[in-house]
Amino acid sequence: MARVVLGVAGGIAAYKAVELLRQLTETGHDVTVVPTASALEFVGAPTWAALSGKPVTTSTWDDVHDVPHVRIGQEADLVVVAPATANLLAKAAHGLADDLLTNTLLTARCPVVMAPAMHTEMWEHAATQSNAATLRSRGVLVVEPAVGRLTGADSGSGRLPEPAELALLCFRVLARGLADATTLDLLGRRVVVSSGGTREHLDPVRFLGNRSSGRQGHALARAAVARGAEVVLVTSSSLADPAGTKVVHVTSAAEMHDAVLAESASADAVVMAAAVADYRPAERLSTKRKKTDALSVELVQNPDILRELVSQRGAGQVLVGFAAETGDDHADVLTHGRAKLARKGCDLLVVNEVGETGHPTGFEGPDNAATILAADGSVTEVPLGSKDALADALWDLVAARFCS
Ligand code: CTP
């Protein structure tokens, strides 16, 4: 759990910072919100206090015995200011300290992320650009504003990026530090990721499925985008499409097969994070099946997408499989994983334990832990952490194979 200071300056985008706060607290972070007085004109102190579980003040004159204007900054692992207005950027660039947020920025020695949001003219003004450049030269990560709809009917550069993108950036900075969080080591690479559990329909209402939520695959897509890759996500998940990716929605293993193979021809890497059903009903009824005393359904085998990818892989293409395993009477999880790596013939296999016993991870939740087995025999343990952290650990290994 990291200590995060969420600074909120006085812009209409303050409402989006509420969602950012939720995402930070829901992932277990200890968040102190430090709004400016103008921020409270947009979103009131009770909202920040209720969602952060802490009192909120804008002033250096409250709780003076606790010296908050020094303590909050000193204790932080990350300060993120969202939205950062033109006024806040100007004050920060010049070292002004006339409220709790600007004091905090002067005392913080941790990574500082600022997400500007304002009208295009204000963002493009020479004064604002010079202030952003000054802050960047001092090591502050000043995020480029998004382009799109602004406060009124107008649109242009100056939108606050979506809270989910800012949250991801915060997680990356906390996990990897400022420099590594923004490394574009997948720039120029095209990667295909599959995610979700496929649904094999019995009739228009019922299907055979599995517990995969698609969260790990979506995390992989987001992390690859953040590292500069062109990303295609082939997914059967109903999660929101990750920003910056081409998303191909599919339902069944057969549809996933066709989409993945079509997209993979020119890909530098393919990561099969999807839980593809091995079997489908031999027959899909066009009308709803009626109840009978007993029912047996004939199943036929689906194509093995990963094995097909391996059999037709292009030069230098890196292929990654996932294996959600339980140990059984014959072998433990890793022994099953090694056998699967050999059987599939891929370069890397992400093995995680699932099921009711042991330390099950993987399905549905935000966290995962895994052992990544490589065809060259190397083994990388990824301890329990966010699915975003596991995604980054996997891309580290893929990126290393591009370089070798
Ligand atoms: N996979 C695939 N096509 C399938 C089944 C699985 O591409 N029809 C991929 C998965 O996306 C995953 C890897 O193969 O990356 C391993 O999936 P898994 O279901 O564990 O493999 P199986 O060969 O089906 O082995 P098992 O007998 O354990 O189910």
Side-chain angles (χ1 to χ4, degrees), residues 246-304:
K246 172 182 168 185
V247 182
V248 183
H249 291 277
V250 296
T251 304
S252 64
E255 288 170 13
M256 183 165 279
H257 168 270
D258 294 351
V260 167
L261 281 149
E263 295 292 346
S264 296
S266 59
D268 296 291
V270 184
V271 180
M272 286 296 300
V276 186
D278 290 328
Y279 301 94
R280 66 179 181 279
E283 187 189 14
R284 175 181 175 162
L285 300 185
S286 59
T287 53
K288 190 178 166 198
R289 184 190 290 274
K290 293 294 171 208
K291 188 159 63 184
T292 51
D293 283 348
L295 171 68
S296 57
V297 177
E298 190 192 343
L299 299 177
V300 293
Q301 211 166 45
N302 279 323
D304 190 318

Side-chain angles (χ1 to χ4, degrees), residues 64-84:
V64 177
H65 62 282
D66 199 25
V67 204
H69 74 288
V70 176
R71 184 185 53 77
I72 293 174
Q74 277 179 343
E75 289 179 356
D77 299 307
L78 170 70
V79 177
V80 51
V81 183

Side-chain angles (χ1 to χ4, degrees), residues 194 253 256 271-279 302-307 309 320-325 340 343-344 349:
S194 70
M256 183 165 279
V271 180
M272 286 296 300
V276 186
D278 290 328
Y279 301 94
N302 279 323
D304 190 318
I305 305 169
L306 186 55
R307 282 177 83 153
L309 288 169
V320 183
F322 268 67
E325 300 285 349
K340 189 166 286 183
R343 201 166 65 238
K344 297 272 183 182
L349 189 75

Side-chain angles (χ1 to χ4, degrees), residues 307-323:
R307 282 177 83 153
E308 273 189 50
L309 288 169
V310 168
S311 70
Q312 59 188 60
R313 85 160 78 202
Q317 194 176 56
V318 178
L319 298 175
V320 183
F322 268 67

